[in-house]
Amino acid sequence: MTELAIEGVRLSRRFGGFTALDAVDIGVKRGEIRGLIGPNGAGKSTLIDVLSGRAVNWDGSVRLNGEDVSRLTPQERRKRGMARSFQRTNIFPDLTVEQQLRIASWAVEEAEIDEVMSEFGLVALAGVPAGEISYGDQRRLDLALALVGRPSVLLLDEPAAGLTMEESLGLARTLRDLVTRWNVTVLLVEHDMQVVFSICDRISVLHLGRSLSEGTCAEVRANPTVIAAYLGTEA
Amino acid sequence: MNPTAQGTLAPSRPRTANKALVVLLIGAAALVAGFVLPWIGFAKITLSLLAQALFDALLATSVGFLFLQNGRVSFGQAAFFGLGGYAFGILVARNLAGPELALLLALAIPTLAAFLLGLVVARVTGVAHAMLTLAVGQAFYEVAFRWRELAMGDDGMSFTLPSKFFGFSASRLQDPGVMVVLAWSILVLVLVSLTLFTRSRTGQIAAAIRDNEERARFIGYSTTVPPALVYAIAAFVAAIAGVLQAVYNGYIAPQMFHWSLSGFALIMSIIGGAKFVIGPAVGAVVLFYIKDVAGQFAEYWPAIVGGILVVVTLTMPQGIIGLAVKQWRRRQRR
Ligand SMILES: Nc1ncnc2c1ncn2[C@@H]1O[C@H](COP(=O)(O)OP(=O)(O)OP(=O)(O)O)[C@@H](O)[C@H]1O
Ligand SMILES: [Mg+2]
């Protein structure tokens, strides 16, 4: 039995002549929170899309808790415990907060939704159509939708995009608490280094569609190639 | 967390149960009220027009339901209306089936056809969807219009009802008073059932798919079957209307498939409020009433309807029911 909750082997994806993902290997151990960083256009969202089943026309294979899920649809992967959020808010604007979480729960064995709702501060908004709540609340709802039913693997594409520093750190704290308590394995794409270093166990760096390095926060921070490719320009 | 907000969570279950009960009670009352319709002194001709308005209301309900649940605008719903009417008329006229079996097939064929079509057509949205359904609907019209051996082509075909229908004297179905009560009762049952469907799990999942198809897949749903099911249900309702009209008139004609019928049904649902199950039926009845009042100006009817549509879309974008609900909510808040 493998130790890896989610594993991508030689993942490649091309758009026309452009290679967005070039034989990338990635494996995240059960219970780990892995950061995925890299400059704009590095292929981070593409990698999440391939792992989650959103991408078409890609090469390689994806394993979820040891099972090959490469051919499975997103809904089949979700039923096996893989969930994701989106870089651009992706919720149900016409449905109320509570209704969409409830609908999400039906798909995964009647999971209860009260805990995610209160963890993400959505209880007071239960009856409000999601299109009418604030941007920050919508980001939290996007995450809550993914967390309903305690997935075993959570793929997060910049969950804090567009939030203030304070909101981002608050979200990171909530997330860290919840996934630790629920033993969820996380792959987190995030531009905000403060958020990444505050919650991730290990970090993978993508650059121009290739895997550049992988290690603990300290190792990555000290890696000269990473500094040159990414951190140097940010700091 | 604030205490009142916490409180809203707990009672939500019993409250939804109560709402379903309210829907059933209103439906029961409406059902009973229907039996009074023929006795309040309407002239026979008015009753006959009212029967036609109820067929229209069913077709409009079908069009509106498709929009409400799938978010799709159809210009081809008359195809299923016509298919229901034609299947029944042809089977009965040619003695291919008894009236009971004919009824069953006349409802099953359009429903199944719509389910299969829905698996494909649901992938198309917006104007493209409206055009595609228009084309599909007109294809049916062309076939009915040109194929003389089928049912006399553009002349249409008369047929006589068999003497008994489910043990009752079938000719009574062509009495305006009887048909009004029957069509009204069916309309009420349809509206109640559709309302309960929108509240059911399948209905809510279909609404989620309408709202955001991609996210629906990522929270774990197949997004092909629920919309196709909605197409099937909508077609079933349209087919009921088609069969009722065919039975009542003892006559079928290619006009039953015509896109203008779908277009009027769409206008009725916009006027009544397409975001509500009962909106389209209300729109149909209101238009019927205005048409009755407009009487001698009937030749300008399309222009009158156009004018009403303009006024409604400008002053009440959610239709009559939308406006009523808004007013009611505002009063409650005070
Ligand atoms: N549908 C597409 N068609 C063509 N090129 C695409 C498409 N999607 C992504 N790309 C390209 O692939 C590369 C990787 O994109 P991707 O969105 O994965 O980057 P990213 O690392 O998530 O960047 P960001 O930090 O901006 O979100 C980019 O150069 C992008 O322009
Ligand atoms: Mg991205």
Side-chain angles (χ1 to χ4, degrees):
Chain A
M1 186 70 192
T2 167
E3 274 282 283
L4 298 176
I6 178 84
E7 187 185 10
V9 183
R10 296 193 61 78
L11 301 178
S12 300
R13 184 166 195 212
R14 250 175 290 278
F15 295 108
F18 175 75
T19 305
L21 217 53
D22 191 2
V24 170
D25 289 321
I26 189 162
V28 186
K29 280 212 198 97
R30 192 153 300 137
E32 180 182 330
I33 302 182
R34 170 73 61 88
L36 180 62
I37 64 172
N40 288 107
K44 307 181 295 293
S45 295
T46 306
L47 178 58
I48 298 284
D49 285 351
V50 168
L51 291 173
S52 66
R54 189 194 201 200
V56 288
N57 300 329
W58 55 278
D59 287 316
S61 66
V62 177
R63 300 182 148 270
L64 176 65
N65 298 315
E67 180 193 4
D68 189 335
V69 295
S70 308
R71 301 275 153 265
L72 299 188
T73 60
Q75 59 267 29
E76 289 164 333
R77 295 183 202 203
R78 172 79 206 224
K79 297 242 192 301
R80 284 166 173 73
M82 181 196 290
R84 70 165 289 179
S85 73
F86 293 79
Q87 185 165 356
R88 283 180 51 196
T89 312
N90 205 344
I91 55 176
F92 302 93
D94 284 351
L95 307 184
T96 68
V97 169
E98 185 181 355
Q99 192 187 6
Q100 58 193 283
L101 290 169
R102 179 140 287 139
I103 292 171
S105 77
W106 295 335
V108 281
E109 290 166 2
E110 312 283 313
E112 57 94 37
I113 61 171
D114 295 353
E115 195 172 353
V116 270
M117 260 204 331
S118 68
E119 285 291 340
F120 288 102
L122 296 169
V123 176
L125 302 168
V128 185
E132 292 171 17
I133 64 180
S134 74
Y135 178 75
D137 289 326
Q138 290 182 344
R139 294 304 298 179
R140 279 188 283 277
L141 175 58
D142 201 319
L143 262 183
L145 279 172
L147 271 157
V148 167
R150 307 191 179 194
S152 62
V153 170
L154 188 58
L155 310 172
L156 302 177
D157 196 354
E158 303 199 31
L163 299 184
T164 64
M165 176 55 82
E166 200 182 330
E167 286 175 317
S168 303
L169 291 174
L171 190 68
R173 222 172 301 124
T174 310
L175 194 62
R176 161 123 236 168
D177 282 356
L178 205 60
V179 299
T180 317
R181 194 140 46 83
W182 287 1
N183 194 28
V184 182
T185 307
V186 179
L187 180 61
L188 170 75
V189 175
E190 182 54 61
H191 268 294
D192 191 327
M193 284 307 123
Q194 223 177 315
V195 170
V196 173
F197 290 134
S198 74
I199 73 172
C200 294
D201 305 314
R202 292 173 72 81
I203 294 173
S204 295
V205 187
L206 270 189
H207 184 53
L208 300 176
R210 286 168 178 274
S211 177
L212 193 66
S213 122
E214 189 208 305
T216 63
C217 295
E219 285 163 6
V220 166
R221 238 196 289 227
N223 186 321
T225 19
V226 175
I227 294 170
Y230 185 49
L231 294 177
T233 59
E234 286 265 313
Chain B
M1 207 97 325
N2 89 50
T4 52
Q6 287 283 15
T8 59
L9 258 185
S12 80
R13 283 222 161 252
R15 222 178 40 207
T16 52
N18 284 345
K19 273 194 190 158
L21 194 64
V22 169
V23 170
L24 287 174
L25 285 177
I26 292 175
L31 211 53
V32 172
F35 285 86
V36 181
L37 284 175
W39 315 115
I40 44 183
F42 285 132
K44 256 213 153 46
I45 176 73
T46 310
L47 279 179
S48 196
L49 289 172
L50 184 56
Q52 185 59 51
L54 290 169
F55 307 153
D56 291 348
L58 280 167
L59 183 59
T61 298
S62 164
V63 173
F65 185 68
L66 204 55
F67 179 76
L68 174 72
Q69 282 282 286
N70 279 0
R72 299 291 192 275
V73 172
S74 169
F75 266 102
Q77 235 20 37
F80 305 112
F81 177 82
L83 210 51
Y86 263 60
F88 184 82
I90 292 169
L91 289 170
V92 167
R94 305 238 160 119
N95 258 319
L96 294 170
E100 294 84 7
L101 180 62
L103 174 68
L104 190 74
L105 290 172
L107 297 179
I109 292 168
T111 305
L112 194 64
F115 182 81
L116 297 176
L117 268 173
L119 292 173
V120 182
V121 169
R123 307 202 165 272
V124 185
T125 59
V127 176
H129 182 272
M131 292 301 116
L132 186 59
T133 50
L134 175 72
V136 171
Q138 281 306 91
F140 280 97
Y141 171 77
E142 288 296 328
V143 170
F145 191 89
R146 292 181 197 285
W147 190 1
R148 291 205 66 83
E149 294 75 30
L150 180 73
M152 311 291 285
D154 58 328
D155 292 336
M157 181 174 75
S158 297
F159 60 93
T160 40
L161 290 175
S163 58
K164 291 279 177 202
F165 198 4
F166 287 106
F168 292 96
S169 158
S171 61
R172 296 205 55 201
L173 292 173
Q174 295 178 332
D175 175 281
V178 173
M179 184 45 92
V180 162
V181 172
L182 179 65
W184 173 272
S185 308
I186 289 174
L187 178 63
V188 170
L189 289 178
V190 162
L191 292 176
V192 168
S193 313
L194 294 185
T195 303
L196 296 179
F197 177 83
T198 60
R199 307 174 63 81
S200 72
R201 280 196 181 188
T202 312
Q204 291 189 57
I205 291 165
I209 293 168
R210 172 205 68 206
D211 207 11
N212 186 342
E213 203 254 356
E214 175 175 69
R215 190 67 200 243
R217 280 192 284 126
F218 282 93
I219 61 171
Y221 291 105
S222 151
T223 55
T224 45
V225 173
L229 195 62
V230 170
Y231 278 93
I233 294 170
F236 179 73
V237 173
I240 294 175
V243 172
L244 284 176
Q245 180 172 314
V247 166
Y248 183 60
N249 295 334
Y251 175 68
I252 51 176
Q255 279 67 37
M256 293 181 81
F257 291 97
H258 201 261
W259 72 268
S260 58
L261 212 58
S262 310
F264 266 109
L266 189 60
I267 291 172
M268 288 168 190
S269 54
I270 293 169
I271 290 174
K275 287 210 165 167
F276 306 87
V277 172
I278 63 161
V282 169
V285 172
V286 166
L287 270 194
F288 159 75
Y289 181 72
I290 295 175
K291 193 173 187 175
D292 200 40
V293 171
Q296 73 249 45
F297 304 109
E299 56 182 308
Y300 303 115
W301 184 236
I304 296 173
V305 171
I308 295 170
L309 185 63
V310 170
V311 172
V312 166
T313 45
L314 290 180
T315 59
M316 32 184 169
Q318 306 283 355
I320 296 168
I321 298 295
L323 186 70
V325 167
K326 204 165 127 190
Q327 297 290 355
W328 186 70
R329 286 211 180 119
R330 192 174 292 167
R331 192 165 303 173
Q332 279 221 319
R333 227 170 277 155
R334 262 193 226 132

